[in-house]
Amino acid sequence: LYFSTVVRVCGCCGALRPRYKRLVDNIFPEDPEDGLVKANMEKLTFYALSAPEKLDRIGAYLSERLSRDVARHRYGYVCIAMEALDQLLMACHCQSINLFVESFLKMVRKLLESDKPNLQILGTNSFVKFANIEEDTPSYHRSYDFFVSRFSEMCHSSYEDPDIRTKIRMAGIKGLQGVVRKTVNDELQANIWDPQHMDKIVPSLLFNLQCGEGTESRSPSPLQASEKEKESPVELTERCFRELLGRAAYGNIKNAVTPVLMHLDNHSLWEGKVFAVRCFKIIMYSIQSQHSHLVIQQLLGHLDANSKNSATVRAGIVEVLLEAAAIAASGSVGPTVLEVFNTLLRQLRLSVDYELTGSYDPTSNIGIKIIKTHEERQLQEAVIRTIGSFANTLPTYQRSEVMLFIMGKIPVPGVHPALVSTGTRMIQVMLLKSLVQVTAGFQTTNMLTALPSSFLEPLLSFSLTEDPEVRLLVLTILLSLIDRHDNRPKFSTISIISDISVLKLKVDKCSRQDNLFMKKHGQQLYRHIYLGCKEQSSGRQHYETLYTLLALLSMELANEEVVVDLIRLALALQDLALSTDESLPIYNRCAVHALAAAYLNLICQLTTVPAFCQHIHEVIEVRQKESPYLLPEDVFIDNPKLPSSLEKAEGDVLFLQSKITEVLGGSGYNTERLATPYVPQYTDEDRLSKRKSIGETISLQVEVESRNSPEKEERTPAEEITFETLKNAIVDSVGMEEQERERRRQVVEKFQKAPFEEIAAHCGARATLLQSKLNQIFEITIRPPPSPSGTISSGYGQSQSRSVPVYEMKFPDLCVY
């Protein structure tokens, strides 16, 4: 009787339970291995759709049962509960789903907090399904902080079993991907781009990406992978990382890239370069192209922050910059173009300083790191390549600005006397190598705008230095700028070519802008070519480069007048090689002879004047028989056979100016100009480029000042200009040059050898004279204002103006405003 009563009471109480609880209970079978009762699940789903206000209670009850089953280790029922939750979540999209989601996330959190890998993976899979659902209504109070932290922790799992460890890490990666998808496009959610979240997400992805460092990224965009590849944590990580970066807006790039930089720093991954380059390849290919310059700016800032770090670290950052610049689209350097190059040039200069001083901080003796010269050299080469890579992404007008900017950074000989000569030379070489990279492949239609005086004049001044490497770099830069039709490789070596048609040269008619350029700068170029051949330290490479420069000028910028001047220059080079006053070594003389012969052979075929070609070929034939050491084939070789002297170089082995003038005059060329020997004009630039001491610098300044002093101008009488005066000036010009050169030598010698007291007294006297002249000028131009009370008498009976303060003076009404 008692048992019957209890059963009836329980049955009665069961009938009184809420319907949603009964429907939830009915989906659980007696044996969990049987799985979810599908028929009852359909009833529960229909009920939830019919009465959406009950969704939160259904979720709360399911959550209660799941917590109880987890505590009792009834994992079969846990799986059934999660499957039911997933189905309800997929089926119900209404305004009440937010409350249900809270219960769902509570259950997922319970599973993730478990120490059982299967439960963690189960919770992650449910969260990923939830993340793919687009909700109709936003949530204002939902937080994903726990999920970011937990999924990041799973990404770093160190579980003993490698298979289970891999599954846990993949679950963590999928979970992070789900968090990003759920929050990145919802402005009402917690901002996933905040540093507190990015500092967990990005390092977790990089950790898993690093585990498969040997696997290279095969394509710039994620492609459909096979099933086997989908199971790889590395491939999954890369897809997740790409998706994260692809969703980054303009203001979020910095927060996404900063953790990457910190991770590479903390794990010393810059030195290996491979992984760092791979990471930034993924970044550059994944972000929107218009945001590329933001990544580059962050890398430049990070390079500055590591300016006192080891050379290998800085070289790694520079290599990454090089790859980033190559990937970025044209113009991606951004609005601060010059700042990019300024940073790279600053790093180049710092590296040179470190190499010379041997320390990153010469003012401190504590914790000094050992500087390895070869590492600094590798860094310098990497910076130079990176400068060239950035320049290649720029349009022509911006590249011209960069060329001017770099030129302004190069220390000019004699202008920076305080600098150590070795350091100055190294900086000059490095910056000129940077210019070589920037000008490589440079194409322009207007030479006047591409090579303004502010760039060309300082560049040419370096071609007069005594350093052969610097001169060779300057010539290389000029070749890159002048060669607009890719003719340069055809003149890489000097030789006598009987028929230049085999070279297939590209020659266009000289434009008006080219004519203006040569009219303005032609004489400068000729003079520097002449002086370059005159340098005793010039070698085979220098002469080959000078020959290429002459050839390119003939094809790119030559009109009839320029052709005449170039022929005169070639004949002047022949005279230079014959002169005994220049003390040139035998090799240099033979090389200049060979250079002039090769160029005249080229220019005569370009002018297509038969008589001119005949004369040149006759001389070359004579040289081949009698003096082969005057031709390039016997000079520009590894072991040239040279004579002891060149006294026999006369007669038929020389090109005759009179003969060339005669044959070209018959073809309409300017015979008067052809008959005039070319003589280079020496300017102050020649001296400035060669001066070595501060004494010479001061002497030149004094010389210029003494020339322009007003005292000297007053003493100089006016001279009547007549025909005889002009005639005498022309005749005596040579003697005047000698006198001027001697006077300059005496001034320089005085400042080099005279005692310091004598120089100081001389400068002091000049300063006193200048002050007295200024006082005279001030007395004349600045007078005291007229006094209303007139004048007063001095003690000596002389009238003296009494100065009245301005505030006491009485001004007329018309003068007061």
PDB file of all heavy atoms in Angstrom, residues 221-251:
ATOM      1  N   SER A 221      47.906  34.394 -51.215  1.00  0.00           N
ATOM      2  CA  SER A 221      46.548  34.387 -50.677  1.00  0.00           C
ATOM      3  C   SER A 221      46.161  32.956 -50.335  1.00  0.00           C
ATOM      4  O   SER A 221      46.593  32.014 -50.994  1.00  0.00           O
ATOM      5  CB  SER A 221      45.569  34.966 -51.698  1.00  0.00           C
ATOM      6  OG  SER A 221      45.613  34.203 -52.870  1.00  0.00           O
ATOM      7  N   PRO A 222      45.358  32.759 -49.292  1.00  0.00           N
ATOM      8  CA  PRO A 222      44.998  31.394 -48.901  1.00  0.00           C
ATOM      9  C   PRO A 222      44.178  30.703 -49.977  1.00  0.00           C
ATOM     10  O   PRO A 222      43.209  31.243 -50.489  1.00  0.00           O
ATOM     11  CB  PRO A 222      44.182  31.606 -47.629  1.00  0.00           C
ATOM     12  CG  PRO A 222      43.712  33.010 -47.690  1.00  0.00           C
ATOM     13  CD  PRO A 222      44.733  33.776 -48.455  1.00  0.00           C
ATOM     14  N   LEU A 223      44.568  29.501 -50.340  1.00  0.00           N
ATOM     15  CA  LEU A 223      43.857  28.719 -51.349  1.00  0.00           C
ATOM     16  C   LEU A 223      43.157  27.552 -50.682  1.00  0.00           C
ATOM     17  O   LEU A 223      43.384  27.236 -49.509  1.00  0.00           O
ATOM     18  CB  LEU A 223      44.847  28.205 -52.398  1.00  0.00           C
ATOM     19  CG  LEU A 223      45.658  29.292 -53.133  1.00  0.00           C
ATOM     20  CD1 LEU A 223      46.650  28.640 -54.055  1.00  0.00           C
ATOM     21  CD2 LEU A 223      44.736  30.212 -53.893  1.00  0.00           C
ATOM     22  N   GLN A 224      42.285  26.895 -51.438  1.00  0.00           N
ATOM     23  CA  GLN A 224      41.578  25.733 -50.906  1.00  0.00           C
ATOM     24  C   GLN A 224      42.585  24.612 -50.647  1.00  0.00           C
ATOM     25  O   GLN A 224      43.323  24.206 -51.530  1.00  0.00           O
ATOM     26  CB  GLN A 224      40.522  25.256 -51.920  1.00  0.00           C
ATOM     27  CG  GLN A 224      39.596  24.175 -51.378  1.00  0.00           C
ATOM     28  CD  GLN A 224      38.706  24.680 -50.257  1.00  0.00           C
ATOM     29  OE1 GLN A 224      38.345  25.841 -50.257  1.00  0.00           O
ATOM     30  NE2 GLN A 224      38.387  23.830 -49.306  1.00  0.00           N
ATOM     31  N   ALA A 225      42.642  24.122 -49.422  1.00  0.00           N
ATOM     32  CA  ALA A 225      43.610  23.092 -49.049  1.00  0.00           C
ATOM     33  C   ALA A 225      42.943  21.730 -49.044  1.00  0.00           C
ATOM     34  O   ALA A 225      41.728  21.589 -48.945  1.00  0.00           O
ATOM     35  CB  ALA A 225      44.183  23.397 -47.683  1.00  0.00           C
ATOM     36  N   SER A 226      43.765  20.714 -49.137  1.00  0.00           N
ATOM     37  CA  SER A 226      43.250  19.351 -49.101  1.00  0.00           C
ATOM     38  C   SER A 226      42.873  18.973 -47.681  1.00  0.00           C
ATOM     39  O   SER A 226      43.186  19.665 -46.723  1.00  0.00           O
ATOM     40  CB  SER A 226      44.324  18.402 -49.638  1.00  0.00           C
ATOM     41  OG  SER A 226      45.455  18.424 -48.782  1.00  0.00           O
ATOM     42  N   GLU A 227      42.196  17.830 -47.535  1.00  0.00           N
ATOM     43  CA  GLU A 227      41.762  17.399 -46.207  1.00  0.00           C
ATOM     44  C   GLU A 227      42.948  17.142 -45.299  1.00  0.00           C
ATOM     45  O   GLU A 227      42.918  17.445 -44.114  1.00  0.00           O
ATOM     46  CB  GLU A 227      40.911  16.118 -46.344  1.00  0.00           C
ATOM     47  CG  GLU A 227      39.564  16.346 -47.017  1.00  0.00           C
ATOM     48  CD  GLU A 227      38.680  17.293 -46.231  1.00  0.00           C
ATOM     49  OE1 GLU A 227      38.741  17.269 -45.000  1.00  0.00           O
ATOM     50  OE2 GLU A 227      37.946  18.074 -46.848  1.00  0.00           O
ATOM     51  N   LYS A 228      44.003  16.602 -45.856  1.00  0.00           N
ATOM     52  CA  LYS A 228      45.180  16.320 -45.048  1.00  0.00           C
ATOM     53  C   LYS A 228      45.802  17.604 -44.525  1.00  0.00           C
ATOM     54  O   LYS A 228      46.213  17.705 -43.373  1.00  0.00           O
ATOM     55  CB  LYS A 228      46.197  15.536 -45.880  1.00  0.00           C
ATOM     56  CG  LYS A 228      47.429  15.110 -45.092  1.00  0.00           C
ATOM     57  CD  LYS A 228      48.359  14.279 -45.953  1.00  0.00           C
ATOM     58  CE  LYS A 228      49.588  13.857 -45.154  1.00  0.00           C
ATOM     59  NZ  LYS A 228      50.520  13.053 -45.960  1.00  0.00           N
ATOM     60  N   GLU A 229      45.853  18.654 -45.381  1.00  0.00           N
ATOM     61  CA  GLU A 229      46.439  19.920 -44.973  1.00  0.00           C
ATOM     62  C   GLU A 229      45.577  20.632 -43.944  1.00  0.00           C
ATOM     63  O   GLU A 229      46.072  21.356 -43.112  1.00  0.00           O
ATOM     64  CB  GLU A 229      46.666  20.799 -46.200  1.00  0.00           C
ATOM     65  CG  GLU A 229      47.824  20.314 -47.071  1.00  0.00           C
ATOM     66  CD  GLU A 229      47.943  21.146 -48.326  1.00  0.00           C
ATOM     67  OE1 GLU A 229      46.904  21.689 -48.762  1.00  0.00           O
ATOM     68  OE2 GLU A 229      49.041  21.240 -48.879  1.00  0.00           O
ATOM     69  N   LYS A 230      44.266  20.430 -44.015  1.00  0.00           N
ATOM     70  CA  LYS A 230      43.374  21.050 -43.033  1.00  0.00           C
ATOM     71  C   LYS A 230      43.656  20.549 -41.627  1.00  0.00           C
ATOM     72  O   LYS A 230      43.366  21.227 -40.657  1.00  0.00           O
ATOM     73  CB  LYS A 230      41.916  20.780 -43.409  1.00  0.00           C
ATOM     74  CG  LYS A 230      41.436  21.582 -44.602  1.00  0.00           C
ATOM     75  CD  LYS A 230      39.969  21.302 -44.882  1.00  0.00           C
ATOM     76  CE  LYS A 230      39.477  22.131 -46.066  1.00  0.00           C
ATOM     77  NZ  LYS A 230      38.068  21.859 -46.366  1.00  0.00           N
ATOM     78  N   GLU A 231      44.207  19.360 -41.516  1.00  0.00           N
ATOM     79  CA  GLU A 231      44.510  18.798 -40.206  1.00  0.00           C
ATOM     80  C   GLU A 231      45.833  19.317 -39.644  1.00  0.00           C
ATOM     81  O   GLU A 231      46.184  19.002 -38.535  1.00  0.00           O
ATOM     82  CB  GLU A 231      44.572  17.263 -40.305  1.00  0.00           C
ATOM     83  CG  GLU A 231      43.262  16.618 -40.725  1.00  0.00           C
ATOM     84  CD  GLU A 231      42.126  16.896 -39.756  1.00  0.00           C
ATOM     85  OE1 GLU A 231      42.384  16.927 -38.540  1.00  0.00           O
ATOM     86  OE2 GLU A 231      41.000  17.127 -40.234  1.00  0.00           O
ATOM     87  N   SER A 232      46.576  20.086 -40.430  1.00  0.00           N
ATOM     88  CA  SER A 232      47.866  20.597 -39.981  1.00  0.00           C
ATOM     89  C   SER A 232      47.671  21.880 -39.183  1.00  0.00           C
ATOM     90  O   SER A 232      47.037  22.823 -39.663  1.00  0.00           O
ATOM     91  CB  SER A 232      48.759  20.876 -41.198  1.00  0.00           C
ATOM     92  OG  SER A 232      49.884  21.620 -40.813  1.00  0.00           O
ATOM     93  N   PRO A 233      48.211  21.943 -37.970  1.00  0.00           N
ATOM     94  CA  PRO A 233      48.085  23.179 -37.177  1.00  0.00           C
ATOM     95  C   PRO A 233      48.726  24.381 -37.875  1.00  0.00           C
ATOM     96  O   PRO A 233      48.231  25.501 -37.743  1.00  0.00           O
ATOM     97  CB  PRO A 233      48.817  22.832 -35.872  1.00  0.00           C
ATOM     98  CG  PRO A 233      48.869  21.353 -35.811  1.00  0.00           C
ATOM     99  CD  PRO A 233      48.908  20.885 -37.221  1.00  0.00           C
ATOM    100  N   VAL A 234      49.809  24.149 -38.608  1.00  0.00           N
ATOM    101  CA  VAL A 234      50.498  25.265 -39.269  1.00  0.00           C
ATOM    102  C   VAL A 234      49.612  25.884 -40.348  1.00  0.00           C
ATOM    103  O   VAL A 234      49.459  27.108 -40.419  1.00  0.00           O
ATOM    104  CB  VAL A 234      51.830  24.778 -39.868  1.00  0.00           C
ATOM    105  CG1 VAL A 234      52.512  25.911 -40.619  1.00  0.00           C
ATOM    106  CG2 VAL A 234      52.739  24.232 -38.780  1.00  0.00           C
ATOM    107  N   GLU A 235      49.015  25.032 -41.179  1.00  0.00           N
ATOM    108  CA  GLU A 235      48.138  25.540 -42.231  1.00  0.00           C
ATOM    109  C   GLU A 235      46.914  26.232 -41.644  1.00  0.00           C
ATOM    110  O   GLU A 235      46.496  27.292 -42.116  1.00  0.00           O
ATOM    111  CB  GLU A 235      47.706  24.394 -43.147  1.00  0.00           C
ATOM    112  CG  GLU A 235      48.841  23.764 -43.939  1.00  0.00           C
ATOM    113  CD  GLU A 235      49.431  24.736 -44.930  1.00  0.00           C
ATOM    114  OE1 GLU A 235      48.685  25.611 -45.415  1.00  0.00           O
ATOM    115  OE2 GLU A 235      50.627  24.648 -45.212  1.00  0.00           O
ATOM    116  N   LEU A 236      46.355  25.635 -40.601  1.00  0.00           N
ATOM    117  CA  LEU A 236      45.182  26.235 -39.953  1.00  0.00           C
ATOM    118  C   LEU A 236      45.551  27.578 -39.329  1.00  0.00           C
ATOM    119  O   LEU A 236      44.797  28.549 -39.424  1.00  0.00           O
ATOM    120  CB  LEU A 236      44.644  25.271 -38.883  1.00  0.00           C
ATOM    121  CG  LEU A 236      43.442  25.771 -38.086  1.00  0.00           C
ATOM    122  CD1 LEU A 236      42.248  25.995 -39.000  1.00  0.00           C
ATOM    123  CD2 LEU A 236      43.093  24.782 -36.975  1.00  0.00           C
ATOM    124  N   THR A 237      46.731  27.637 -38.706  1.00  0.00           N
ATOM    125  CA  THR A 237      47.183  28.888 -38.100  1.00  0.00           C
ATOM    126  C   THR A 237      47.357  29.970 -39.146  1.00  0.00           C
ATOM    127  O   THR A 237      46.954  31.123 -38.947  1.00  0.00           O
ATOM    128  CB  THR A 237      48.518  28.653 -37.367  1.00  0.00           C
ATOM    129  OG1 THR A 237      48.346  27.635 -36.385  1.00  0.00           O
ATOM    130  CG2 THR A 237      48.986  29.919 -36.695  1.00  0.00           C
ATOM    131  N   GLU A 238      47.955  29.622 -40.267  1.00  0.00           N
ATOM    132  CA  GLU A 238      48.185  30.616 -41.314  1.00  0.00           C
ATOM    133  C   GLU A 238      46.871  31.156 -41.856  1.00  0.00           C
ATOM    134  O   GLU A 238      46.725  32.372 -42.066  1.00  0.00           O
ATOM    135  CB  GLU A 238      49.012  30.003 -42.441  1.00  0.00           C
ATOM    136  CG  GLU A 238      49.394  31.014 -43.514  1.00  0.00           C
ATOM    137  CD  GLU A 238      50.344  30.447 -44.538  1.00  0.00           C
ATOM    138  OE1 GLU A 238      51.110  29.522 -44.208  1.00  0.00           O
ATOM    139  OE2 GLU A 238      50.317  30.933 -45.689  1.00  0.00           O
ATOM    140  N   ARG A 239      45.889  30.270 -42.048  1.00  0.00           N
ATOM    141  CA  ARG A 239      44.581  30.737 -42.536  1.00  0.00           C
ATOM    142  C   ARG A 239      43.927  31.655 -41.515  1.00  0.00           C
ATOM    143  O   ARG A 239      43.330  32.672 -41.873  1.00  0.00           O
ATOM    144  CB  ARG A 239      43.676  29.541 -42.845  1.00  0.00           C
ATOM    145  CG  ARG A 239      44.078  28.775 -44.096  1.00  0.00           C
ATOM    146  CD  ARG A 239      42.937  27.879 -44.564  1.00  0.00           C
ATOM    147  NE  ARG A 239      42.649  26.818 -43.600  1.00  0.00           N
ATOM    148  CZ  ARG A 239      43.261  25.648 -43.558  1.00  0.00           C
ATOM    149  NH1 ARG A 239      44.224  25.387 -44.427  1.00  0.00           N
ATOM    150  NH2 ARG A 239      42.922  24.730 -42.672  1.00  0.00           N
ATOM    151  N   CYS A 240      44.032  31.290 -40.248  1.00  0.00           N
ATOM    152  CA  CYS A 240      43.441  32.118 -39.199  1.00  0.00           C
ATOM    153  C   CYS A 240      44.139  33.477 -39.130  1.00  0.00           C
ATOM    154  O   CYS A 240      43.492  34.520 -38.986  1.00  0.00           O
ATOM    155  CB  CYS A 240      43.546  31.389 -37.857  1.00  0.00           C
ATOM    156  SG  CYS A 240      42.839  32.296 -36.474  1.00  0.00           S
ATOM    157  N   PHE A 241      45.470  33.472 -39.223  1.00  0.00           N
ATOM    158  CA  PHE A 241      46.245  34.715 -39.161  1.00  0.00           C
ATOM    159  C   PHE A 241      45.902  35.614 -40.346  1.00  0.00           C
ATOM    160  O   PHE A 241      45.736  36.831 -40.197  1.00  0.00           O
ATOM    161  CB  PHE A 241      47.730  34.361 -39.153  1.00  0.00           C
ATOM    162  CG  PHE A 241      48.631  35.493 -38.768  1.00  0.00           C
ATOM    163  CD1 PHE A 241      48.208  36.484 -37.896  1.00  0.00           C
ATOM    164  CD2 PHE A 241      49.925  35.558 -39.266  1.00  0.00           C
ATOM    165  CE1 PHE A 241      49.058  37.529 -37.534  1.00  0.00           C
ATOM    166  CE2 PHE A 241      50.771  36.589 -38.914  1.00  0.00           C
ATOM    167  CZ  PHE A 241      50.335  37.576 -38.046  1.00  0.00           C
ATOM    168  N   ARG A 242      45.771  35.015 -41.527  1.00  0.00           N
ATOM    169  CA  ARG A 242      45.408  35.796 -42.701  1.00  0.00           C
ATOM    170  C   ARG A 242      44.012  36.414 -42.552  1.00  0.00           C
ATOM    171  O   ARG A 242      43.773  37.555 -42.927  1.00  0.00           O
ATOM    172  CB  ARG A 242      45.460  34.917 -43.946  1.00  0.00           C
ATOM    173  CG  ARG A 242      46.857  34.528 -44.403  1.00  0.00           C
ATOM    174  CD  ARG A 242      46.787  33.680 -45.655  1.00  0.00           C
ATOM    175  NE  ARG A 242      48.092  33.197 -46.074  1.00  0.00           N
ATOM    176  CZ  ARG A 242      48.964  33.893 -46.792  1.00  0.00           C
ATOM    177  NH1 ARG A 242      48.652  35.114 -47.154  1.00  0.00           N
ATOM    178  NH2 ARG A 242      50.129  33.375 -47.137  1.00  0.00           N
ATOM    179  N   GLU A 243      43.098  35.617 -42.011  1.00  0.00           N
ATOM    180  CA  GLU A 243      41.734  36.128 -41.828  1.00  0.00           C
ATOM    181  C   GLU A 243      41.715  37.287 -40.850  1.00  0.00           C
ATOM    182  O   GLU A 243      41.020  38.284 -41.054  1.00  0.00           O
ATOM    183  CB  GLU A 243      40.835  34.992 -41.335  1.00  0.00           C
ATOM    184  CG  GLU A 243      39.378  35.408 -41.193  1.00  0.00           C
ATOM    185  CD  GLU A 243      38.473  34.257 -40.781  1.00  0.00           C
ATOM    186  OE1 GLU A 243      38.915  33.088 -40.890  1.00  0.00           O
ATOM    187  OE2 GLU A 243      37.342  34.529 -40.352  1.00  0.00           O
ATOM    188  N   LEU A 244      42.472  37.155 -39.765  1.00  0.00           N
ATOM    189  CA  LEU A 244      42.551  38.228 -38.773  1.00  0.00           C
ATOM    190  C   LEU A 244      43.083  39.504 -39.410  1.00  0.00           C
ATOM    191  O   LEU A 244      42.510  40.591 -39.251  1.00  0.00           O
ATOM    192  CB  LEU A 244      43.460  37.786 -37.624  1.00  0.00           C
ATOM    193  CG  LEU A 244      43.794  38.850 -36.570  1.00  0.00           C
ATOM    194  CD1 LEU A 244      42.547  39.207 -35.771  1.00  0.00           C
ATOM    195  CD2 LEU A 244      44.899  38.363 -35.638  1.00  0.00           C
ATOM    196  N   LEU A 245      44.173  39.411 -40.162  1.00  0.00           N
ATOM    197  CA  LEU A 245      44.778  40.594 -40.774  1.00  0.00           C
ATOM    198  C   LEU A 245      43.907  41.163 -41.881  1.00  0.00           C
ATOM    199  O   LEU A 245      43.845  42.383 -42.080  1.00  0.00           O
ATOM    200  CB  LEU A 245      46.154  40.232 -41.342  1.00  0.00           C
ATOM    201  CG  LEU A 245      47.200  39.800 -40.306  1.00  0.00           C
ATOM    202  CD1 LEU A 245      48.388  39.155 -40.988  1.00  0.00           C
ATOM    203  CD2 LEU A 245      47.657  40.999 -39.489  1.00  0.00           C
ATOM    204  N   GLY A 246      43.230  40.296 -42.611  1.00  0.00           N
ATOM    205  CA  GLY A 246      42.358  40.760 -43.682  1.00  0.00           C
ATOM    206  C   GLY A 246      41.184  41.579 -43.178  1.00  0.00           C
ATOM    207  O   GLY A 246      40.639  42.407 -43.906  1.00  0.00           O
ATOM    208  N   ARG A 247      40.785  41.349 -41.918  1.00  0.00           N
ATOM    209  CA  ARG A 247      39.662  42.098 -41.342  1.00  0.00           C
ATOM    210  C   ARG A 247      40.114  43.389 -40.666  1.00  0.00           C
ATOM    211  O   ARG A 247      39.293  44.150 -40.166  1.00  0.00           O
ATOM    212  CB  ARG A 247      38.933  41.223 -40.322  1.00  0.00           C
ATOM    213  CG  ARG A 247      38.233  40.002 -40.929  1.00  0.00           C
ATOM    214  CD  ARG A 247      37.689  39.101 -39.837  1.00  0.00           C
ATOM    215  NE  ARG A 247      37.041  37.917 -40.368  1.00  0.00           N
ATOM    216  CZ  ARG A 247      35.737  37.823 -40.629  1.00  0.00           C
ATOM    217  NH1 ARG A 247      34.951  38.870 -40.425  1.00  0.00           N
ATOM    218  NH2 ARG A 247      35.215  36.712 -41.109  1.00  0.00           N
ATOM    219  N   ALA A 248      41.434  43.620 -40.587  1.00  0.00           N
ATOM    220  CA  ALA A 248      41.952  44.797 -39.869  1.00  0.00           C
ATOM    221  C   ALA A 248      41.685  46.068 -40.663  1.00  0.00           C
ATOM    222  O   ALA A 248      42.015  46.151 -41.848  1.00  0.00           O
ATOM    223  CB  ALA A 248      43.442  44.627 -39.619  1.00  0.00           C
ATOM    224  N   ALA A 249      41.095  47.046 -40.000  1.00  0.00           N
ATOM    225  CA  ALA A 249      40.858  48.347 -40.614  1.00  0.00           C
ATOM    226  C   ALA A 249      42.095  49.228 -40.419  1.00  0.00           C
ATOM    227  O   ALA A 249      43.082  48.830 -39.794  1.00  0.00           O
ATOM    228  CB  ALA A 249      39.631  49.001 -40.002  1.00  0.00           C
ATOM    229  N   TYR A 250      42.014  50.450 -40.949  1.00  0.00           N
ATOM    230  CA  TYR A 250      43.170  51.359 -40.907  1.00  0.00           C
ATOM    231  C   TYR A 250      43.675  51.576 -39.485  1.00  0.00           C
ATOM    232  O   TYR A 250      44.879  51.513 -39.225  1.00  0.00           O
ATOM    233  CB  TYR A 250      42.771  52.698 -41.529  1.00  0.00           C
ATOM    234  CG  TYR A 250      43.870  53.722 -41.556  1.00  0.00           C
ATOM    235  CD1 TYR A 250      44.775  53.768 -42.612  1.00  0.00           C
ATOM    236  CD2 TYR A 250      44.015  54.654 -40.537  1.00  0.00           C
ATOM    237  CE1 TYR A 250      45.792  54.704 -42.650  1.00  0.00           C
ATOM    238  CE2 TYR A 250      45.032  55.602 -40.557  1.00  0.00           C
ATOM    239  CZ  TYR A 250      45.912  55.620 -41.615  1.00  0.00           C
ATOM    240  OH  TYR A 250      46.921  56.550 -41.633  1.00  0.00           O
ATOM    241  N   GLY A 251      42.759  51.807 -38.557  1.00  0.00           N
ATOM    242  CA  GLY A 251      43.169  52.122 -37.193  1.00  0.00           C
ATOM    243  C   GLY A 251      43.602  50.924 -36.371  1.00  0.00           C
ATOM    244  O   GLY A 251      44.078  51.094 -35.238  1.00  0.00           O
TER     245      GLY A 251
END
